Amino acid sequence: MDSPQQSDRLIGVTAGRDKEEHSAAVEDKGQTSADFSRIYSTDLLPAPGGEEMTGEFLKELVNILLAYISKSSQRSSKVLDFHHPHQLKEGLECFTLDLPDKPEPLEQLLVDCRDTLKYGVCTGHPRFLNQLSSGLDVVGLAGEWLTSAANTNMFTYEVSPVFVLMEEFLLRKMQSIVGWSDDVGDGIFCPGGTISNLYSVLLARYHFYPEVKTMGMGVLPQLALFTSEQSHYSVKKSAAVLGMGSKNVFMVKCDDSGKMIPSELESCIVAADKKGLVPFYVNATAGTTVYGAFDPLDAIADICQRHTLWMHVDAAWGGGLLMSDRHKMKLRGIERAWSVTWNPHKMMGVPLQCSVILVKKRGLLQECNDFGAEYLFQTDKIYDVSYDTGDKSFQCGRHVDVFKLWLMWKAKGSEGFGAQVNKCLENAEYLYDQLQRRTHFELVLKNKPEHSNVCFWYIPPSLRSLPPGPDRDARLHQVAPRIKGRMMEKGSVMIGYQPLGDKVNFFRCVFSNPATQQEDVDFLLEEIARLADDL
């Protein structure tokens, strides 16, 4: 394999810019350099005799990707090379978003691939701490490449025999980890946690009111849903998309740590009933987006059981903790849920996108969504057509998201995923400890983090003598956005910020990248102080 330095020299380049260096590098290796300035996509497979040129083109592309992967792991490199939208739209050097009428040679396409990576964000960088999904797993990347090469669809066994069976095995594995017995459970891979949560509301409504599938909302009472005030916005969005109305979602109060208060849930159910609404669905969150809080699942399950409500657990962010013997107790009670959202593309580090909806009642997905299109789901095929899973989904075409997770599970084993989760939470504890020790930083939550979310303020020099109050809050509210802007312009590190309730803008650092080390945590705090020195 080429070294990073060689890979950098071997990537496709514009004529007259790096062409001489590229040719010299190829000659040093004793290879023949393809002149991509005269080669077009029509010269590649399936063109007759296109094997050799296809190989040369893909090798050049792999060299670009290898250089990018290598650079992403180097702390001396930037997390991003920031440009404002108007700069990218107007074009930079030889990079332009305009689309031509006539085909361009492969040389330009290779340049475009390189520049697309150059001007993007390196989410695999050890100092990218901005989102709940980060990191760059090489085995997962290999799985995504193979998936794209196969270019198949998950709707029938006849076109995806291996992937369909992989999905069945993985769903059963995840159901077992949740705590469900072998004789129950179903599920499907989805395009993200929002869609998984949408499935949960759809299935809950169908379970109680199956006539809605054919007769529509007109035959139903006005339904009420319940979720915590710190839950993901997708619950409200699901109610809007499914015609139940976002105003019929009751936002249940949370305690100071961000957990739903069970007595408040009970009060909301009673209040909805008095308004003439019909409660039917409760969403509990295992790992809230901002604080990383875990709702008290057992207490919520007791309430749902007493009122005969569908209990869903949104464990998109927190589900990965089920892989850790040290932390899985934080999801105690999840086995009592009727459905669960779990996103392996978050804490487990699987490349985007990889989300599942797990459903306790087997067959409900099929009943709710099937329409038996005869051009896909013929009943007289030569194999067991129960493996044609397309009618379990409200999609038709469905991307293969299972293989990269399956391959990573083979590479790491359950123990490897557990160790990865433990390391991320250890980084969060280290940041929490450092924030307590360093001056001019203030924790938003005084308690030790439950998940890998750590929320804090930085107090710049101009605010340190101000007493608490509205004036200080108004000025502090502007600090995090200004520091974040400087981070992006410098490209040194990225973390998120947001306000929440009565709390002004604060930083939220999340750890899901296995490459992040304690030295990156130290750098983050020192960089914030440097960037805010004149504020």
Side-chain angles (χ1 to χ4, degrees), residues 308-526:
T308 316
L309 305 178
W310 182 287
M311 178 184 173
H312 175 67
V313 175
D314 179 2
W317 177 222
L321 272 63
L322 290 167
M323 305 301 298
S324 165
D325 290 338
R326 190 185 306 170
H327 296 286
K328 64 183 179 182
M329 85 289 276
K330 296 172 184 177
L331 293 95
R332 185 179 292 114
I334 194 172
E335 72 281 357
R336 300 176 66 185
W338 293 20
S339 58
V340 173
T341 290
W342 180 352
N343 286 10
H345 69 229
K346 290 182 177 169
M347 184 52 66
M348 294 172 71
V350 179
L352 284 163
Q353 56 196 14
C354 190
S355 174
V356 299
I357 176 69
L358 304 175
V359 187
K360 202 168 197 176
K361 185 178 179 182
R362 185 170 294 173
L364 189 64
L365 270 165
Q366 184 81 22
E367 293 169 20
C368 179
N369 294 300
D370 76 329
F371 277 91
E374 292 183 349
Y375 52 83
L376 274 179
F377 307 117
Q378 304 93 343
T379 58
D380 52 359
K381 295 179 180 180
I382 63 171
Y383 58 85
D384 181 355
V385 295
S386 68
Y387 289 101
D388 285 355
T389 58
D391 246 0
K392 289 165 60 174
S393 166
F394 52 66
Q395 298 171 250
C396 181
R398 191 161 62 89
H399 186 257
V400 176
D401 293 324
V402 64
F403 181 68
K404 54 197 170 189
L405 174 57
W406 182 85
L407 202 65
M408 286 177 64
W409 213 309
K410 297 276 283 188
K412 297 174 185 286
S414 300
E415 292 179 357
F417 276 126
Q420 184 172 306
V421 168
N422 292 342
K423 180 181 177 182
C424 290
L425 270 72
E426 286 166 8
N427 282 336
E429 291 179 21
Y430 178 77
L431 173 56
Y432 171 79
D433 291 340
Q434 289 299 308
L435 288 167
Q436 289 184 305
R437 293 187 182 123
R438 297 185 185 224
T439 57
H440 313 313
F441 289 91
E442 292 182 10
L443 284 158
V444 174
L445 300 177
K446 302 306 178 186
N447 296 331
K448 180 180 173 182
E450 275 195 293
H451 204 336
S452 71
N453 309 46
V454 185
C455 301
F456 61 93
W457 291 284
Y458 178 72
I459 313 302
S462 65
L463 302 187
R464 290 169 192 167
S465 60
L466 289 180
D471 180 52
R472 182 181 186 270
D473 285 347
R475 294 172 67 177
L476 183 58
H477 187 64
Q478 302 174 43
V479 170
R482 292 182 66 182
I483 295 174
K484 172 66 177 286
R486 292 179 178 185
M487 279 182 186
M488 293 179 67
E489 289 171 344
K490 188 176 178 183
S492 56
V493 63
M494 279 185 71
I495 63 169
Y497 72 87
Q498 68 284 300
L500 186 65
D502 61 354
K503 295 178 173 62
V504 299
N505 279 324
F506 55 85
F507 288 113
R508 179 201 61 164
C509 187
V510 286
F511 297 94
S512 60
N513 187 347
T516 303
Q517 306 291 340
Q518 289 183 0
E519 67 179 274
D520 302 305
V521 175
D522 293 333
F523 177 86
L524 168 68
L525 298 180
E526 291 158 7

Side-chain angles (χ1 to χ4, degrees), residues 200-213 216-227 235-236 238-240 242-251 268-269 271-282 308-310:
S200 73
V201 180
L202 178 71
L203 291 167
R205 186 178 67 178
Y206 179 82
H207 171 75
F208 290 113
Y209 304 100
E211 63 272 22
V212 71
K213 179 176 177 179
M217 288 293 291
V219 300
L220 303 185
Q222 199 165 10
L223 301 174
L225 305 82
F226 306 86
T227 190
V235 178
K236 275 193 169 184
S238 296
L242 294 173
M244 290 176 281
S246 60
K247 287 189 175 181
N248 290 329
V249 179
F250 287 71
M251 308 304 291
C268 285
I269 294 170
D273 189 59
K274 286 182 178 178
K275 288 182 177 180
L277 304 179
V278 178
F280 82 107
Y281 172 97
V282 175
T308 316
L309 305 178
W310 182 287

Side-chain angles (χ1 to χ4, degrees), residues 74-229:
Q74 296 169 8
R75 288 171 173 81
S76 58
S77 66
K78 288 185 175 184
V79 178
L80 78 160
D81 183 2
F82 177 74
H83 292 82
H84 288 280
H86 74 272
Q87 294 174 305
L88 287 175
K89 288 172 74 173
E90 291 166 3
L92 296 166
E93 299 179 24
C94 294
F95 181 72
T96 177
L97 297 171
D98 288 338
L99 295 173
D101 292 326
K102 295 184 178 181
E104 294 183 346
L106 297 185
E107 182 178 62
Q108 182 59 50
L109 270 59
L110 290 166
V111 172
D112 291 339
C113 288
R114 185 202 61 194
D115 287 348
T116 297
L117 293 172
K118 175 184 177 183
Y119 297 126
V121 178
C122 293
T123 59
H125 196 288
R127 292 171 182 167
F128 178 80
L129 308 164
N130 204 74
Q131 312 299 143
L132 303 184
S133 54
S134 64
L136 200 163
D137 189 278
V138 174
V139 172
L141 179 63
E144 191 67 76
W145 287 353
L146 185 145
T147 297
S148 294
N151 192 32
T152 191
N153 199 317
M154 289 296 289
F155 47 39
T156 61
Y157 178 85
E158 67 181 88
V159 297
S160 284
V162 181
F163 296 139
V164 164
L165 295 180
M166 278 181 182
E167 184 173 66
E168 180 189 39
F169 270 74
L170 256 172
L171 289 170
R172 284 186 180 178
K173 180 75 170 179
M174 297 173 81
Q175 291 157 15
S176 173
I177 291 170
V178 165
W180 296 344
S181 61
D182 288 340
D183 60 337
V184 302
D186 203 348
I188 199 165
F189 278 71
C190 302
T194 292
I195 301 299
S196 293
N197 287 343
L198 177 64
Y199 268 105
S200 73
V201 180
L202 178 71
L203 291 167
R205 186 178 67 178
Y206 179 82
H207 171 75
F208 290 113
Y209 304 100
E211 63 272 22
V212 71
K213 179 176 177 179
T214 54
M215 302 299 292
M217 288 293 291
V219 300
L220 303 185
Q222 199 165 10
L223 301 174
L225 305 82
F226 306 86
T227 190
S228 89
E229 60 187 1

